[in-house]
Amino acid sequence: MENESGVSEFLLHGFPDTEKLWIFHIVIFLTIYLVAVIENIIIITVIVYSHQLHSPMYFFLVNLSLQDLGSISVTVPKSMLNSLMNTEAISYSGCLCQVFFLLFFMMSHFFLLCVMAYDRYVAICSPLHYENIMSKKTCIQMATSVWMGGLSYSMLHTGNLFFVKFCSKIINQFFCEIPQLLRISCSGSYVAEEWVLIMSSCLAFILFFLIVFSYVRIFKTVLQIPSTQGKQKAFSTCLPHLLVICLFMVSGNFAYLKPPSSFPSTSDILISTFYCVVPPILNPLIYSMRNKVLKMAFWKLIFKFFPNT
């Protein structure tokens, strides 16, 4: 696969090309990747094998862990492989595949956060109707819509990139992302993609407004709960989700709305690392630290499989 401008591969200039820093990069990224994979697999396993966790909130949390596994697997392994092989090259088709799957997992992640906000809204503001509204069929339909929405969004953006002509093949990042690809595109060949980005930004702000509106209603309802224990339980399920939303939105907006610099920037790399590498590590910790039910289910599963521990 090769585009109209004749570029058959790109060079990922994300990290300095000194041997010591490459080794450091491999060790750090390998550690991050293994931690993220282990954490998310534990979350998925505990929820799947614990019948008391078979509820809408934990069903969506399994989907979130699958998205985290997917998003970090798109970028980190390729970056480590390049360092091991002492190369910076990535093929044109490989670059577009990275863009496609990263957008797929990241946007389905965002859509899922909106669904999870709605789930918390119904659970706290309409608890008597929760089981009827968030039925098994409805949850499956919501999860399917989340994945299909991410797929459609990703296909739209990646399809536009096929018509973009590139005047350079040097990407100042350790993976392929749209802002950096647009920076090296030839003048006038990326107009359609810019319009798609503008429309996507409008959609993102609308969804973010709906999330904020949901949490305003949630906090108003929580403050009216007479018992202190009830308030603590409500906040313990809502605050982790709100923290995940803020982490994802802030880092993602910085990465995509910040104008790319003409030269490699440490801040660009750190911001991109923050939104595509850090959340898969932090999300399982955020959701498990204050979740007593999830922690109890984890230890029950440990004692079940390892009774002598």
Side-chain angles (χ1 to χ4, degrees):
M1 188 184 300
E2 188 172 345
N3 80 326
E4 296 177 6
S5 53
V7 175
S8 60
E9 69 174 14
F10 296 98
L11 299 178
L12 301 174
H13 280 7
F15 296 101
D17 55 358
T18 59
E19 184 178 351
K20 291 183 179 179
L21 288 177
W22 277 18
I23 295 173
F24 178 75
H25 159 226
I26 294 172
V27 172
I28 293 297
F29 267 36
L30 180 61
T31 304
I32 290 173
Y33 185 69
L34 290 178
V35 170
V37 169
I38 292 171
E39 285 179 346
N40 284 284
I41 287 178
I42 288 175
I43 292 288
I44 294 171
T45 305
V46 170
I47 293 174
V48 169
Y49 280 94
S50 303
H51 293 288
Q52 69 270 30
L53 299 182
H54 290 181
S55 63
M57 183 178 76
Y58 296 104
F59 169 71
F60 294 133
L61 187 54
V62 168
N63 282 267
L64 188 71
S65 292
L66 290 173
Q67 291 166 356
D68 285 337
L69 284 173
S71 62
I72 197 170
S73 297
V74 170
T75 57
V76 172
K78 174 59 179 176
S79 182
M80 290 189 297
L81 181 63
N82 276 9
S83 294
L84 285 171
M85 298 179 64
N86 195 22
T87 181
E88 296 177 329
I90 181 171
S91 66
Y92 177 79
S93 56
C95 185
L96 292 191
C97 282
Q98 269 197 344
V99 172
F100 175 83
F101 284 108
L102 185 61
L103 285 174
F104 170 57
F105 287 117
M106 299 300 285
M107 286 310 300
S108 59
H109 187 108
F110 182 54
F111 293 146
L112 182 63
L113 292 178
C114 298
V115 169
M116 293 175 74
Y118 176 73
D119 172 70
R120 291 300 84 207
Y121 168 77
V122 176
I124 294 174
C125 298
S126 302
L128 299 179
H129 303 284
Y130 181 73
E131 291 187 2
N132 291 330
I133 296 175
M134 300 300 295
S135 63
K136 182 178 179 181
K137 180 180 179 181
T138 302
C139 291
I140 293 175
Q141 289 175 343
M142 285 182 169
T144 304
S145 300
V146 161
W147 289 101
M148 293 304 296
L151 180 63
S152 301
Y153 181 93
S154 179
M155 290 176 64
L156 179 62
H157 275 287
T158 310
N160 279 331
L161 289 178
F162 281 101
F163 302 99
V164 175
K165 297 180 180 180
F166 298 100
C167 298
S168 173
K169 62 179 182 178
I170 297 176
I171 299 175
N172 296 325
Q173 188 54 271
F174 67 92
F175 64 95
C176 291
E177 62 175 354
I178 289 180
Q180 293 294 336
L181 287 173
L182 292 183
R183 192 189 67 78
I184 63 172
S185 62
C186 300
S187 176
S189 66
Y190 54 86
V191 176
E193 178 61 20
E194 281 194 334
W195 276 107
V196 172
L197 283 174
I198 292 172
M199 293 173 60
S200 302
S201 299
C202 294
L203 174 62
F205 280 113
I206 291 172
L207 294 176
F208 183 67
F209 172 78
L210 293 176
I211 292 174
V212 172
F213 176 77
S214 298
Y215 271 96
V216 169
R217 296 289 302 273
I218 287 172
F219 288 138
K220 283 184 177 180
T221 304
V222 169
L223 293 175
Q224 294 174 359
I225 297 176
S227 67
T228 305
Q229 186 177 2
K231 289 181 180 179
Q232 290 178 348
K233 184 178 179 181
F235 278 124
S236 67
T237 58
C238 291
L239 290 179
H241 182 241
L242 191 59
L243 183 60
V244 169
I245 291 172
C246 293
L247 175 69
F248 181 77
M249 286 294 296
V250 171
S251 58
N253 283 332
F254 264 97
Y256 275 79
L257 299 181
K258 178 182 179 294
S261 57
S262 301
F263 300 96
S265 169
T266 303
S267 63
D268 289 340
I269 296 173
L270 288 176
I271 291 171
S272 297
T273 301
F274 199 76
Y275 90 87
C276 76
V277 175
V278 175
I281 296 178
L282 290 185
N283 287 351
L285 294 176
I286 291 172
Y287 277 106
S288 61
M289 279 190 301
R290 300 189 61 179
N291 193 316
K292 294 181 181 179
V293 178
L294 189 60
K295 287 190 285 188
M296 289 177 61
F298 169 74
W299 288 114
K300 284 182 180 179
L301 197 63
I302 292 294
F303 291 138
K304 179 180 180 181
F305 285 102
F306 305 99
N308 296 325
T309 55

